[in-house]
Amino acid sequence: MMNDKPASLSEFELIRRIRQQAGTAEHLILGIGDDCAIQQQQANQELLTSTDLLIEGIHFDLRWTSLEALGRKSVAVNLSDIAAMGGTPLSLFLAVACPAQLNSDQLQQFTQGFLSEAEKYSVVLAGGDTCRSTGPLMISVTVQGTVSKGRAIRRSGASPGDAIYVSGSLGDSALALQLLQQGESPPSQLADRHHRPQARVALGQQLAAQQLASAMLDISDGLLADLGHIAEESAVGAEIELSRLPLSNRFRAALEVDPQRLDLALTGGEDYELLFTSKVQDLSQHPELKPAVTRIGVITTEREINCRRPDADLYQCSRGGFDHFA
Ligand code: ADP
Ligand code: MG
C-alpha cells in the first residue's frame, strides 16, 4: 500500500531489517517474506492461538517505558497466555501501526527487544504487518503454540474443594506503576516486574504434563478479577485467605508505609503469574515447580469471591480489577 509507511524508513526497508534478524525454527517451513507463513504441524498436538493488542496511552506510556522494554513486554505478555494453557509457544506474528514521530532508531530498539525476548523462549517471529498510524503507536502480537491433545488447561475446570494456587509474588508490577505515576522511581526489583515480566512457560508446561491443574489462567487484570473469570467459567465461587498472599519483601515494606496497598496485590494487575486450581491440596511436595507456587485459598460452591482477613472477618476491597470498558 502507498503512503502508510513509518517516518523516514520505507515499509519494505523496515520489513527487510526485521526479516534479517528474525531467525529460523525447525517447525517454520516458510517465515517472513511471502503472503503466509507455513508451519509444520504434529499429529498428536493441538494448536493454541492468542492475540494481544497494546496501545500507547492505554497499555504503556513512553514517558517511562523504553522501546526496548516495550518490545520485550509485548512478547512476554503474549507468551503468558500460552503458559496459562500449559502449552509450548512456537511462533509470533507482529503487527505494528507507527505514528510519524517514531524514528527508525526507536523502531530498531523495539524490534531488538522483541526478538531477544522471543529468542529467550525459543520462539520465532514468523510474520506480521506494518503500517503508519495517524494516532498512537499500536502493537498487535499473535502467538501460536502447541499442547498435547486434550492436555490444555482451561478456565472452566475448577470444582468446589479444589485448592487455589498462585506462582511467584503478587502486586509488584502494580506497585511499580503506582510509584511511577506518582513521579517516584521504584527500586529495580519492582520496576523489572513492571517493565520486564516473565512468562511462566516452564511452570505451565509442568502443570499440564503432570496434570496438576484443574483450571488455570495468567493474572493480567488482577488476582480478584482473574479469579472471577475462573469462577464464572467453572460456575463456582472462591475464598482467599489474605494472610497467605505471596508478597515480595519490597512489597511488604511498601505495605508498611501504606496498608491500602494490599489492594494492589488483589486488583493491581500485570502480575503475569499463573493462577490455578488443583485437586492436590499440598503442592509443597512438588519442589520442581518453579517459580514456587503458594496455596492462597479454596474453591467453594457459593458463587461469590470472598477474601478472609487474618481475624476471620471478610475484607472489602476498595478497587475493582482492570476493565477497559468500566
Ligand atoms: P502483504 O502485502 O501480503 O500483507 P507485506 O508487505 O505486508 O505483505 O509483508 C511482507 C512479509 O513481511 C509478510 O511475510 C509479512 O508477514 C511480513 N511482515 C510484515 N510486517 C512485519 C512485521 N512487523 N513483523 C514481522 N513480519 C512482518
Ligand atoms: Mg501486510
Side-chain angles (χ1 to χ4, degrees):
M1 216 197 278
M2 300 288 283
N3 294 328
D4 63 349
K5 329 174 178 3
S8 72
L9 190 63
S10 83
E11 179 188 345
F12 297 121
E13 177 56 18
L14 181 65
I15 296 173
R16 195 185 65 76
R17 287 192 195 177
I18 293 175
R19 184 179 181 176
Q20 249 175 12
Q21 300 168 63
T24 56
E26 210 174 311
H27 72 278
L28 190 63
I29 299 167
L30 184 62
I32 296 172
D34 213 311
D35 297 310
C36 288
I38 308 175
Q39 301 181 74
Q40 187 64 53
Q41 296 214 70
Q42 285 182 343
N44 56 343
Q45 302 282 304
E46 285 168 343
L47 179 66
L48 303 170
T49 307
S50 174
T51 296
D52 270 319
L53 197 52
L54 293 163
I55 298 184
E56 183 180 357
I58 294 179
H59 300 95
F60 59 90
D61 191 324
L62 292 177
R63 283 176 299 177
W64 51 67
T65 304
S66 73
L67 270 294
E68 191 261 354
L70 182 63
R72 287 185 180 279
K73 189 166 176 176
S74 60
V75 169
V77 304
N78 220 241
L79 299 190
S80 182
D81 286 319
I82 297 286
M85 302 299 283
T88 301
L90 292 175
S91 303
L92 287 160
F93 296 83
L94 167 65
V96 190
C98 285
Q101 314 83 274
L102 216 67
N103 63 41
S104 56
D105 274 355
Q106 290 174 301
L107 277 171
Q108 179 61 26
Q109 287 158 23
F110 174 83
T111 311
Q112 224 154 48
F114 187 99
L115 290 173
S116 47
E117 193 70 8
E119 200 183 341
K120 226 172 78 184
Y121 297 88
S122 306
V123 177
V124 71
L125 178 59
D129 202 19
T130 308
C131 70
R132 161 86 53 98
S133 167
T134 51
L137 171 61
M138 292 185 274
I139 299 156
S140 168
V141 185
T142 297
V143 63
Q144 292 190 315
T146 57
V147 67
S148 295
K149 269 204 170 116
R151 289 288 172 91
I153 306 165
R154 305 175 186 204
R155 298 177 176 189
S156 55
S159 312
D162 287 1
I164 303 170
Y165 294 91
V166 66
S167 65
S169 61
L170 296 173
D172 293 335
S173 172
L175 175 57
L177 180 62
Q178 186 187 66
L179 293 172
L180 287 165
Q181 285 169 336
Q182 289 169 354
E184 295 174 46
S185 56
S188 64
Q189 292 96 326
L190 291 179
D192 281 354
R193 289 298 310 268
H194 184 67
H195 292 307
R196 296 168 185 270
Q198 306 291 307
R200 304 304 189 191
V201 174
L203 176 62
Q205 288 170 332
Q206 285 178 316
L207 293 168
Q210 300 187 55
Q211 294 182 282
L212 287 172
S214 47
M216 181 155 73
L217 48 55
D218 63 317
I219 303 181
S220 52
D221 298 334
L223 172 68
L224 294 185
D226 286 317
L227 184 56
H229 295 141
I230 288 185
E232 185 71 28
E233 294 300 319
S234 301
V236 294
E239 185 162 307
I240 296 297
E241 282 178 65
L242 291 184
S243 62
R244 288 177 175 263
L245 290 183
L247 305 174
S248 69
N249 290 336
R250 293 275 175 186
F251 191 91
R252 284 181 196 281
L255 200 54
E256 269 172 35
V257 178
D258 177 5
Q260 244 349 132
R261 283 178 168 151
L262 183 61
D263 291 350
L264 295 173
L266 293 169
T267 62
E270 292 210 288
D271 297 299
Y272 298 107
E273 295 294 350
L274 294 181
L275 173 68
F276 63 98
T277 59
S278 180
K279 306 270 171 249
V280 182
Q281 299 295 322
D282 184 7
L283 279 178
S284 63
Q285 307 303 317
H286 287 265
E288 78 281 8
L289 299 178
K290 297 248 164 47
V293 301
T294 305
R295 188 190 153 128
I296 58 168
V298 66
I299 295 293
T300 57
T301 37
E302 287 100 289
R303 297 192 59 180
E304 54 190 32
I305 294 188
N306 289 316
C307 295
R308 191 71 63 186
R309 303 193 322 189
D311 64 8
D313 281 352
L314 288 185
Y315 176 78
Q316 287 303 327
C317 195
S318 62
R319 317 174 8 143
F322 190 74
D323 179 347
H324 283 284
F325 297 100

